[in-house]
Amino acid sequence: MASKEGGMAFSRKSYKLTSDAERSRVTGIVHEKLLSDYLHRVFASPDQGPAAATSRKPLNFQNLPEHLDQLLHVDKEEEESQEQVEGRLGPSTVVLDHTGGFEGLLLVDDDLLGVIGHSNFGTIRSTTCVYKGKWIYEVLISSQGLMQIGWCTINCRFNQEEGVGDTHNSYAYDGNRVRKWNVTTTNYGKAWAAGDIVSCLIDLDEGTLSFSLNGVSLGTAFENLSRGLGMAYFPAISLSFKESVAFNFGSRPLRYPVAGYRPLQDPPSASLVRAQRLLGCFRAVLSVELDPVEGRLVEKKSSEWQLQGQPTILLTLAHIFHHFASLLCEVYVVEAVLMSFLLGVVEAGPPEQAQTVVHHVLDLLWLFMEDYEVQDCLKQLMMSLLRLYRFSPIVPDLSLQIHYLRLTIAILSHEKSRKFLLSNVLFDVLRSIVFFYIKSPLRVEEAGLQELIPTTWWPHRSPREGKEEVREETSEERLRRRAYERGCQRLKKRIEVVEELQVQILKLLLNNKDDNGGEASRYIFLTKFRKFLQENASGRGNTPMLCPPEYMVCFLHRLISALRFYWDEYKASNPRTSFSEEAYVPPQIFYNGKVDYFDLQRLGGLLSHLRKTLKDDLASKANILIDPLELQATTMDDLDEDEEPAPAAAQRPMQALAVGGALPLPRPGWLSSPTLGRANRFLSTAAVSLMTPRRPLSASEKVKVRTLSAEQRTREDIEGSQWNEGLLVGRPPEEPEQPLTENSLLEVLDGAVMMYNLSVHQQLGKMVGVSDDVNEYAMALRDTEDKLRRCPKRRKDILAELSKSQKVFSEKLDHLSRRLAWVHAAVYSQEKMQDIYWLLRVCLRTIEHGDRTGSLFAFMPEFYLSVAINSYSALKNYFGPVHSMEELPGYEETLTRLAAILAKHFADTRIVGTDIRDSLMQALASYVCYPNSLRAVERIPEEQRIAMVRNLLAPYEQRPWAQTNWILVRLWRGCGFGYRYTRLPHLLKTKPEDANLPSLQKPCPSTLLQQHMADLLREGPDVAPSFLNSVLNQLNWAFSEFIGMIQEIQQAAERLERNYVDSRQLKVCATCFDLSVSLLRVLEMTITLVPEIFLDWARPTSEMLLRRLAQLLNQVLNRVTAERNLFDRVVTLRLPGLESVDHYPILVAVTGILVRLLVHGPASGTERATSVLLADPCFQLRSISYLLGQPEPPAPGTALPAPDRKHFSLQSYTDYISVEELAQVEQMLAHLTSASAQVAAASLPTSEEDLCPICYAHPISAVFQPCGHKSCKACIDQHLMNNKDCFFCKATIVSVEDWDKAAHASATSSAA
């Protein structure tokens, strides 16, 4: 009989209790007494004791239904008592009142229990109120912003400014500001954080109201509540924009029940009793085995039970699930009974045994229940599991999170359940990304970090920039640091356990070997993952729809771990493929239409534009023909884009929002986008399938492609087949033939890069705030301790205050240092840094391979360049000082490759987007500020270096010239006159700054790139004049704008009435000043490197450039050096925003140019420069004297300057200007004094008729042909650089000839 039973295979439909004949046959399978004993053992009554065993009625499958009905019987009085409860009014099912009990705009979940604020301060209450007894409800905090949670009466009136707790008879707790509210407010409770649970308790018998946070009572908040006729209290909440919570009035088991208090919604007691009894029967089946040979029952462990097709056991289970199936569709029963049972299984044994039991349970659910019942049960089970994980408190060993994740793994390890959940639940109904998030504890005491990290430590930094104190660590500090590091390692190991479980979940979802009878999990995941990315890429302005960035960070790291695992596993079995260390995304994915990039910008512009303009290149280089019908459809969509009405599903919420109200929000919540359907219709390029037969393609044949939606793709469309390359169709000749890895992993990799761009980088920067807080408090503590040491002992009052401050700062630092340990372990660990570094290298390889495709490079999405730039910035700025980028393998090679990309593409004509071009320019400007990265730029091939410098020297018009100029300045900084400072001298004592800013790095000039610049300026006759002409134009504009702005600022400051200067105007003013200084430094560099451009008058443009330069230098000197002038007064005001405006930076820049022209140049050049400078009518010798502190003598009739007034002098800056440089200035002053005296003695008066009618500064020296009008050479040369028309008659100037009045007069007389 045993062998017969073992060979049976029972399908779900092969047995039904339909006829007596069948029942008799089945009953005879085992001995009747053994069957009776077995059934009594399984279906034992709760009140059945050992004494009743001898008198019990024999059981068989004929009378089992009657026995089971008696076992599951619940008194009707108990069921009816749930509907009539004294002290409560309203529906028995308690939800939020979205029809009338609200104020403001709110988004309400479809179960009417979740709410998101969508206005300034919206309020909503429940449908049920209480007037007597003790009641409780729970609020699950999803965001930790401004909210007031509590109770109110129906007579309370709220608005956009006043919410729950701001009116009489309304009471609220606010964990954001840690206060309680009832018209007035006082301190109360603790700060809440996202993931906490607030319990709201009201005792209307005693008239008190209290709150609990994560099960810990916060004490009585209010007493003497108003009670009596007409006084009933509703649960209510007021919340600000984008804040979100979920209510539990009792529809699910309370997480933290309180003895004596009832939930507003009664639990389904009858269903719970039946479910618990059925669960007991099911446990008995798992723990008892039939031994037909011996005729006895055998006890065994549940983990050893197996479903072997025994008819007796199958029929027994069929009776259990006949009653159990309907109960497992109730939310409360699933969470209270099934979830508790499965968690008990996970907690009781090792993971392998627990997984076996969970698999047996799931097998039985699918076997004995209808599919829709199992699916609903699994959906509720995963929702409950995710809710438990998200709202669990952080405990030292993270045991709660570990158990929930292990149960999740056990469920997802079941293939049929995993595919259903992946297809219908994980990304469609749930925020499944929550499973990959590790909540950061806001209260380190409750998280047990004090026990885990008993000793705290923080780095000691110098409080002032510019005063770097090198102090050795004391022995006590060393011991504290090491103890702190050991505590951090203990914490990290515990977090790594959770992270490994999360990676296991993703490995299950990325499994592509489970395609038995259906699609493999990985391809289902790819479809859902792409939609997830689309929602977050398309809905950036709709915060409730987005995945929170802190979830994205954790999800990205787990995804990279799982991806690299499968990548290297595939390499092990396919030696021709590559390791994950060599991963990149092939360029054909960007243009063959197989992967959907939604409406994300490409480097070359819109996809529809690129497909039309580059269709010939696609055909010739990639053998791809775009379907003409698709091109036509795209064009039509572009034409009617603005006229097309939105889908009805998108219109309804917006219409409701317009009139105000609480809106039902679909369960997907953050995954719902009103533009989803439309974007897929006219912008999607999700997939491409071959329209040609499945046969080998010759090199000359083209592939005609058409677009498929993500849901229509099959495994073959992704991975390819014998004659189909799948995602890699359209391989350009530059790409290798051997595959990198499985095509599906390439799409996952592409999605990981996109995730980093969406929100991960911003979140990494945000988390640095904890480290900044530690540094600020450490600095404050150090200052306080210094004051304590200096304070006289007799001043006990001051000592007491300082001691109190010291204690506060120390306690805050203890708290922050433990939080920082958590952040470093969960966000900034060495492993996380390696993930970001790997992503950076992936982007670099992808860009390099894409660049080789020529014009097709324009198809690459912009975010690849953005991620390359931002990930390098994160590695450099966010992970230090604990981890250094220099420790990473291949660090210098990576820097060089990134430098080559920035140098080549910042001026790449294939890149048309303004934002990405600006980002590339800014990244290059930052890159040359740091010694390591600047050396990387110098290591790139010489051809690329020269091309980069040539692009930098292109004329400044029609391009972001300010950033280009900044790059050139950084190459010179450290070589110019007095240009060796990190910060301006006058700012050292006033404003400490972040030492990591690019502008605050120590000078690191590049002589190699300077030489390239000099060679290029000498290269052709037009390079230097066009570049310098644009520099001089921009300098004239920037300095003129600066002078105009400070005039307005001065006028506003002198008004008697109270006024404010716009901060934006101050910022623009300071920017113009900084630009003027940087342009002057570029001119100084040019004169130093290639002085002949100005001084060799054999060049046709040298004299003109020198005259323009002299004119601008004299204007700057006159404006800045005049005593008691506008510039001087604005500098004296020291307005916030104008800190950088000072005499020193601009005067030393001008001085550097003059010294190079008048001291360092050859004798002939010095003579020419001197003559041009002195010939300029704006030249004033006293401006040069001002540089050495020689003040201008007061004008007759004016008051003498104050005796204590300090005059500017370069001699005061001996720390920044060398003795040799001062000597050169003195030499220059002496030379100009002598030369100006000689010019004054030799100059003859000139009649007004002989002066240039344009500038009235120089005599007429040129005549225009053919019109014959005249001016000086300087004016006409400058004019002809931009215009060919005559000043006066607008005739086209053909030539310019020298003109001398005396020679012209003699020629005229001789002709006469």
Side-chain angles (χ1 to χ4, degrees), residues 117-327:
H118 207 68
S119 59
N120 185 42
F121 204 51
T123 301
I124 191 168
R125 65 172 184 260
S126 71
T127 55
T128 300
C129 60
V130 293
Y131 61 91
K132 181 180 179 181
K134 298 181 179 181
W135 303 92
I136 182 176
Y137 72 92
E138 291 180 343
V139 181
L140 286 64
I141 306 296
S142 300
S143 61
Q144 62 187 43
L146 180 59
M147 294 179 281
Q148 294 174 197
I149 301 171
W151 305 80
C152 72
T153 64
I154 198 169
N155 295 321
C156 294
R157 294 293 177 262
F158 305 112
N159 53 45
Q160 293 291 298
E161 303 296 330
E162 295 181 341
V164 180
D166 296 326
T167 65
H168 291 286
N169 297 325
S170 69
Y171 307 86
Y173 161 51
D174 176 3
N176 177 262
R177 293 173 287 189
V178 196
R179 305 184 74 82
K180 61 181 180 180
W181 297 80
N182 175 232
V183 182
T184 59
T185 178
T186 55
N187 293 333
Y188 175 79
K190 298 179 180 179
W192 61 36
D196 287 342
I197 296 179
V198 175
S199 302
C200 304
L201 302 93
I202 189 169
D203 184 349
L204 291 170
D205 297 334
E206 299 293 333
T208 62
L209 196 151
S210 60
F211 298 91
S212 298
L213 187 63
N214 294 330
V216 179
S217 176
L218 302 178
T220 301
F222 303 100
E223 297 177 334
N224 301 319
L225 301 184
S226 298
R227 291 169 289 170
L229 189 64
M231 297 302 297
Y233 291 90
F234 291 83
I237 184 174
S238 297
L239 65 173
S240 56
F241 185 61
K242 298 180 182 177
E243 305 302 332
S244 60
V245 298
F247 284 83
N248 181 11
F249 298 112
S251 60
R252 299 182 301 272
L254 293 179
R255 192 66 179 276
Y256 302 105
V258 178
Y261 286 81
R262 299 185 60 171
L264 267 75
Q265 179 174 328
D266 288 321
S269 301
S271 296
L272 281 177
V273 170
R274 296 187 183 102
Q276 291 289 1
R277 292 175 183 174
L278 288 169
L279 180 62
C281 299
F282 180 69
R283 287 176 181 271
V285 172
L286 299 183
S287 59
V288 176
E289 187 178 44
L290 280 167
D291 187 351
V293 178
E294 299 290 336
R296 62 187 180 91
L297 303 178
V298 180
E299 298 287 338
K300 62 183 301 182
K301 294 181 180 180
S302 301
S303 58
E304 299 175 0
W305 185 87
Q306 290 185 352
L307 182 63
Q308 298 178 346
Q310 296 173 327
T312 303
I313 296 176
L314 289 173
L315 286 170
T316 304
L317 289 169
H319 280 88
I320 294 174
F321 281 97
H322 177 70
H323 295 274
F324 213 173
S326 59
L327 296 174

Side-chain angles (χ1 to χ4, degrees), residues 418-428 519 524 528:
R418 175 175 68 250
K419 289 185 178 180
F420 162 73
L421 292 170
L422 193 51
S423 299
N424 302 282
V425 177
L426 291 183
F427 284 90
D428 298 308
E519 195 173 11
I524 305 174
K528 302 298 181 180

Side-chain angles (χ1 to χ4, degrees), residues 37 90 114 194 229 252 299 368 539 556 582 588 713 778 794 829 867 894 998 1061 1150 1212 1251 1279 1307:
D37 291 342
L229 189 64
R252 299 182 301 272
E299 298 287 338
F368 290 104
L556 175 65
E582 304 162 357
Q588 57 265 42
R713 292 192 304 175
R794 65 179 184 276
S829 67
V867 172
T894 302
V1061 180
V1150 172
S1212 303
L1251 291 177
H1279 176 70

Side-chain angles (χ1 to χ4, degrees), residues 1124 1192-1200:
R1124 298 175 299 279
E1192 177 185 4
T1198 59
L1200 294 174

Side-chain angles (χ1 to χ4, degrees), residues 343-639:
L343 281 175
V345 171
V346 170
E347 295 170 7
E352 297 78 13
Q353 292 184 4
Q355 187 168 309
T356 301
V357 176
V358 173
H359 281 199
H360 288 327
V361 173
L362 293 173
D363 285 336
L364 294 174
L365 291 178
W366 285 105
L367 181 62
F368 290 104
M369 294 169 60
E370 297 291 341
D371 285 351
Y372 74 89
E373 294 173 333
V374 184
Q375 292 168 0
D376 194 40
C377 176
L378 282 174
K379 173 183 172 182
Q380 298 299 337
L381 183 65
M382 291 303 295
M383 290 176 65
S384 299
L385 190 53
L386 183 138
R387 192 180 298 112
L388 288 172
Y389 178 81
R390 184 181 184 190
F391 294 97
S392 292
I394 300 295
V395 294
D397 60 354
L398 300 174
S399 57
L400 295 175
Q401 286 76 15
I402 290 173
H403 289 149
Y404 299 142
L405 289 175
R406 283 180 177 168
L407 178 54
T408 304
I409 291 172
I411 294 173
L412 294 177
S413 298
H414 190 265
E415 181 179 326
K416 188 172 183 179
S417 301
R418 175 175 68 250
K419 289 185 178 180
F420 162 73
L421 292 170
L422 193 51
S423 299
N424 302 282
V425 177
L426 291 183
F427 284 90
D428 298 308
V429 177
L430 300 180
R431 286 191 176 192
S432 57
I433 309 301
V434 174
F435 281 122
F436 310 109
Y437 175 57
I438 302 180
K439 183 168 58 177
S440 176
L442 183 64
R443 298 170 297 277
V444 298
E445 301 83 4
E446 296 176 16
L449 294 186
Q450 285 180 330
E451 293 77 18
L452 203 59
I453 310 175
T455 305
T456 58
W457 173 85
W458 49 87
H460 295 276
R461 292 188 177 182
S462 172
R464 294 286 182 185
E465 189 181 340
K467 296 182 179 180
E468 297 183 1
E469 300 179 9
V470 179
R471 181 173 64 87
E472 288 192 6
E473 205 174 32
T474 64
S475 58
E476 181 182 355
E477 289 175 345
R478 189 180 303 109
L479 290 174
R480 285 188 61 188
R481 176 176 57 80
R482 290 176 178 173
Y484 176 73
E485 290 172 351
R486 288 194 296 271
C488 293
Q489 285 300 318
R490 289 193 293 269
L491 174 62
K492 182 182 175 183
K493 289 180 180 178
R494 297 187 179 186
I495 291 178
E496 286 175 348
V497 174
V498 177
E499 292 175 346
E500 180 55 34
L501 293 174
Q502 294 170 333
V503 173
Q504 288 183 32
I505 293 176
L506 269 174
K507 287 180 181 177
L508 290 171
L509 300 183
L510 288 174
N511 182 7
N512 68 335
K513 303 295 191 298
D514 57 347
D515 53 353
N516 301 323
E519 195 173 11
S521 298
R522 180 182 297 176
Y523 306 104
I524 305 174
F525 173 82
L526 280 178
T527 301
K528 302 298 181 180
F529 182 48
R530 212 69 200 177
K531 282 190 174 182
F532 165 79
L533 293 174
Q534 180 177 7
E535 297 290 347
N536 285 273
S538 305
R540 290 195 179 189
N542 194 0
T543 302
M545 302 297 177
L546 300 182
C547 174
E550 58 269 24
Y551 294 3
M552 277 281 207
V553 173
C554 296
F555 183 37
L556 175 65
H557 287 297
R558 312 303 175 263
L559 185 64
I560 289 176
S561 298
L563 170 63
R564 296 192 66 178
F565 168 81
Y566 277 113
W567 194 300
D568 291 331
E569 182 184 65
Y570 188 76
K571 165 66 178 176
S573 57
N574 297 269
R576 294 185 60 198
T577 58
S578 64
F579 287 104
S580 62
E581 275 298 330
E582 304 162 357
Y584 68 92
V585 180
Q588 57 265 42
I589 287 181
F590 305 134
Y591 57 72
N592 66 14
K594 286 282 188 174
V595 177
D596 188 1
Y597 289 103
F598 334 123
D599 54 351
L600 296 179
Q601 189 78 358
R602 309 296 182 103
L603 293 178
L606 293 175
L607 178 63
S608 56
H609 168 75
L610 292 174
R611 281 185 163 181
K612 286 183 286 187
T613 56
L614 297 177
K615 60 181 180 181
D616 293 337
D617 291 338
L618 284 172
S620 61
K621 295 182 180 181
N623 291 335
I624 284 183
L625 291 178
I626 303 298
D627 191 340
L629 294 177
E630 191 163 299
L631 280 177
Q632 182 180 0
T634 303
T635 305
M636 295 302 296
D637 276 328
D638 290 341
L639 290 175

Side-chain angles (χ1 to χ4, degrees), residues 575-578 582 584 586 588 725 728 731 735-741 743 746:
R576 294 185 60 198
T577 58
S578 64
E582 304 162 357
Y584 68 92
Q588 57 265 42
E725 293 181 274
L728 301 183
R731 180 177 59 83
E735 279 295 295
E737 293 186 10
Q738 63 270 21
L740 287 170
T741 185
N743 292 353
L746 294 174

Side-chain angles (χ1 to χ4, degrees), residues 1027-1048:
F1027 167 67
L1028 289 172
N1029 185 56
S1030 63
V1031 172
L1032 292 170
N1033 288 341
Q1034 300 303 341
L1035 175 60
N1036 183 45
W1037 172 85
F1039 191 73
S1040 300
E1041 286 291 314
F1042 168 71
I1043 293 299
M1045 287 183 184
I1046 62 173
Q1047 287 176 346
E1048 297 176 6

